[in-house]
């Protein structure tokens, strides 16, 4: 299948921040390259300056998922370019780099730096970050998202995917602004803000960051509804994600209007979740007589004016 | 030792009660032999979920306690939450998802130092496989809450035991036994926790250690115990290797959830540990 001009072996990729291909290669060896579970690899968020991340505890388990307060730890642009990019370039699939900044200038610099690198196939903008100038989340308001894209789109020589946040009034309105201001695709959903109380200290939150992001099967129904709503507003491709554990869940997101699907939390439970789920999807399609391309056509018919 | 890619189904071959603990034996003939201190992620293949608060959802990390010649892995469990409750209820014939061996285990003692093993509670697990690998037999000091937990010491024959309630062995903390070994002095009866009258610990008998600078400490146990071990290692200037625990979603570096603060910043316990050098830690919290 094709997505943003990339030839992909199947429609399942990883959600940003849910798989560290470099660490996994140290753990599992080069077998990881021979049996890489995703059709493309999306990196953890890269920022201009290094980030330590949030204080622990960073995780809370739910009955159907988890809450994380990781805080986007990363080594910063310079060390990522020098140390990680050459290793990630050895992966057998296209590389999507996820970036985040707290100002248009920061995001622009990240976008320009990665646009200059042939190892990078596409960029994903994490817009779940406050703009230091306005105090608003860049992805929580259509005007903020439009202004960000106006500032950084000219510096992007790669396809640009905007990762929408579900923590706003209308992700579909933000998606439309992204489309109108030059985004090549949108991805959704990011985690939904949540929290857990400390089991032994009354009145205190458990997570070091107080609140965190809910992910896993608990958010699957929300993802499905938001993907459908966004599909009704935009024509650009959608990367759908949220609680995907089985081939059936991929099919549901494709049917709701996604073109590509990402697996996130399930990677933590099963390092080969991506290829397992892609296999389940292929077997479902074979059984029902649908091919991947007719599934895509079915999704297309949901698009307005398509 | 690197892990096979992907989780694998592994049958439980036995569940053995050991006082307050359960030893779960799992067939893994095709898996690699783990290094002492390495761990596995475990989850039941059936009914993983539906316990307290509908948990568990994520797999659970356990240091391997022993690998038998036929590839059987032993894990030491204590039922303390929805994950361990489900695992402790498994029987021979039930199946587990097994991922591992994972992480960096204990390193061999440097320059001929004599290993001194210190364990607390369910944290004695990695010391069992470590002791299996060491010749001659090391001195082993173990601490438990009470007699039911002290039954776990059967996994480490010859170990000296301390219990919080004095029901078995030294009445007090295992770190008092360690202080005595490192300081070559009797333990005073006024420890940090007043738990009633205590007998002074006699200096090591026939298994006496040499001077502390001949020693390398290997420890695993609850955070307050590890913090006391860390402080003693620093005080006596002996190298220590501490196997830490942290809530973990994946076990292979994906989630960044299991970080602990070290002198070089946060490190992921799953891929940069779970064994860390005591000198790398300012504090075990």
């Amino acid at each position: 299948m094709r997505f943003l001009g990339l030839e992909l072996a199947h429609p399942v990729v990883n959600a940003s921040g849910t798989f560290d291909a470099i660490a996994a290669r140290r753990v599992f060896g080069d077998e990881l390259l021979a049996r890489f579970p995703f059709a493309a690899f999306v990196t953890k968020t890269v920022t201009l300056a290094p980030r330590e991340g949030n204080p622990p505890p960073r995780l809370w388990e739910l009955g159907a998922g988890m809450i994380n307060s990781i805080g986007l730890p990363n080594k910063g642009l310079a060390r990522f370019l020098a140390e990680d990019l050459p290793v990630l370039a050895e992966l057998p699939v296209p590389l999507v780099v996820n970036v985040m900044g707290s100002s248009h200038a920061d995001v622009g610099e990240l976008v320009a730096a990665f646009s200059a690198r042939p190892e990078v196939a596409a960029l994903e903008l994490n817009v779940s970050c406050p703009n230091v100038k306005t105090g608003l989340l860049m992805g929580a308001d259509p005007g903020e998202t439009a202004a960000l894209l106006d500032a950084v789109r000219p510096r992007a020589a790669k396809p640009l995917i905007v990762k929408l946040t579900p923590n706003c009034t209308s992700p579909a309105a933000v998606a439309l602004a992204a489309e109108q201001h030059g985004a090549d695709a949108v991805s959704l959903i990011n985690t939904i803000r949540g929290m857990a109380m400390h089991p032994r200290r009354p009145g205190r939150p458990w997570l070091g960051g107080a609140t965190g992001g809910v992910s896993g099967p608990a958010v699957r129904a929300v993802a499905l509804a938001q993907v459908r709503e966004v599909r009704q507003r935009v024509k650009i491709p959608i990367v759908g994600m949220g609680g995907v554990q089985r081939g059936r869940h991929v099919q549901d997101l494709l049917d709701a209007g996604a073109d590509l699907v990402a697996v996130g939390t399930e990677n933590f439970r099963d390092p080969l979740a991506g290829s397992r789920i892609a296999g389940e999807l292929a077997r479902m399609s074979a059984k029902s007589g649908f091919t991947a391309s007719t599934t895509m056509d079915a999704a297309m018919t949901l698009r307005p004016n398509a | 030792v690197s892990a096979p890619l992907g989780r694998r189904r592994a049958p439980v071959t036995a569940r053995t009660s050991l006082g307050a603990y359960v030893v779960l034996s799992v067939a893994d003939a095709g898996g690699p032999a783990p290094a002492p201190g390495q761990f596995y992620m475990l989850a039941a293949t059936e009914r993983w979920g539906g316990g307290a608060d509908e948990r568990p959802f994520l797999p659970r990390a356990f240091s391997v306690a022993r690998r038998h010649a036929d590839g059987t892995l032993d894990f030491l469990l204590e039922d303390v939450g929805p994950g361990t409750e489900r695992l402790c209820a498994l029987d021979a014939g039930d199946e587990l998802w097994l991922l591992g061996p994972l992480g960096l285990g204990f390193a061999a003692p440097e320059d001929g130092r004599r290993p001194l093993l210190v364990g607390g509670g369910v944290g004695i697990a990695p010391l069992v496989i470590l002791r299996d690998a060491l010749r001659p037999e090391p001195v082993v000091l173990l601490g438990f809450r009470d007699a039911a937990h002290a039954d776990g010491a059967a996994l480490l024959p010859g170990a000296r035991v301390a219990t919080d309630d004095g029901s078995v062995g030294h009445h007090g903390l295992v770190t008092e036994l360690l202080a005595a070994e490192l300081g070559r002095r009797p333990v005073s009866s006024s420890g940090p926790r007043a738990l009633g009258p205590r007998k002074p610990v006699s200096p090591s008998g026939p298994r006496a250690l040499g001077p502390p600078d001949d020693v390398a400490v290997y420890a695993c146990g609850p955070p307050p115990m590890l913090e006391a071990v860390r402080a003693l290692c620093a005080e006596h200037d002996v190298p220590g290797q501490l196997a830490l625990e942290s809530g973990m979603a994946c076990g292979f570096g994906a989630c960044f959830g299991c970080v602990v603060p070290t002198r070089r910043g946060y490190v992921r316990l799953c891929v940069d540990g779970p064994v860390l050098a005591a000198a790398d830690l300012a504090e075990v919290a």
Side-chain angles (χ1 to χ4, degrees), chain A residues 73-89:
Chain A
N74 77 99
K75 51 178 70 172
L77 176 64
R79 281 186 57 206
F80 182 91
L81 288 173
E83 298 167 15
D84 290 2
L85 195 55
V87 184
L88 293 173

Side-chain angles (χ1 to χ4, degrees), chain B residues 172-173 175-176 187-195 198 228:
Chain B
L173 303 174
T175 46
E176 293 161 5
V187 176
S188 85
S189 55
S190 58
R193 295 166 59 188
L195 290 168
R198 291 180 188 151

Side-chain angles (χ1 to χ4, degrees), chain B residues 6-273:
Chain B
R7 59 183 187 176
R8 51 197 184 273
R9 281 177 180 270
V12 173
T13 54
R15 175 186 59 179
T16 314
S17 286
L18 187 64
Y21 302 108
V22 164
V23 176
L24 205 61
S25 300
V26 182
D28 187 38
Q38 285 195 298
F39 70 96
Y40 292 74
M41 299 302 286
L42 306 184
T45 57
E46 304 292 332
R47 289 192 292 119
W48 191 249
D53 292 333
E54 301 303 321
R55 296 156 66 206
F57 171 72
L58 299 165
R60 296 293 192 267
F62 291 93
S63 291
V64 61
R66 186 162 267 156
R67 183 180 192 266
H68 299 273
D70 66 355
T72 299
L73 303 172
D74 287 348
F75 296 96
L76 185 66
L77 312 180
E78 183 178 13
D79 175 2
V80 294
T84 46
E85 179 184 16
R86 175 71 184 112
L87 292 171
C88 284
L90 292 173
D91 258 321
D94 289 337
E95 282 189 318
L96 283 176
W97 287 120
L98 189 68
L99 179 72
L102 300 167
L104 306 176
F106 295 110
E110 52 189 79
D111 49 37
R113 286 173 179 270
R114 280 180 282 182
L116 176 50
L117 278 50
V118 186
V122 76
I124 67 172
L127 304 185
V128 178
I129 184 171
L130 176 62
R131 178 179 173 275
D132 287 349
L134 292 172
R135 292 289 177 277
E137 279 189 19
V139 170
V140 181
L141 311 175
L142 303 177
F144 299 97
R145 194 179 312 161
D146 53 30
H149 288 82
D151 283 351
L155 295 172
L156 291 139
R160 290 167 56 202
V161 173
T163 48
D164 292 352
D165 65 1
S167 53
V168 180
H170 170 64
H171 186 180
L173 303 174
V174 66
T175 46
E176 293 161 5
L177 301 178
L178 175 63
E181 287 293 339
L182 294 178
R184 313 278 290 141
R185 58 176 184 261
V187 176
S188 85
S189 55
S190 58
R193 295 166 59 188
L195 290 168
R198 291 180 188 151
K199 282 176 282 187
V201 176
S202 57
S204 335
R207 289 144 69 87
L209 295 164
D213 62 358
D214 275 356
V215 174
V217 173
Y218 293 80
C220 184
M225 184 205 101
L226 290 181
E227 170 55 17
V229 171
R230 185 206 61 76
L232 284 166
C233 287
E235 183 189 333
H236 294 277
D237 197 26
V238 298
Q241 296 184 41
L242 312 182
L244 275 67
E245 187 179 38
S246 175
M248 213 173 259
C250 67
F252 57 96
C255 76
F256 285 74
C258 64
V259 297
V260 296
T262 71
R263 295 188 194 280
R264 55 202 158 97
Y266 289 130
V267 302
R268 284 172 284 181
L269 214 52
C270 64
V271 289
D272 297 320

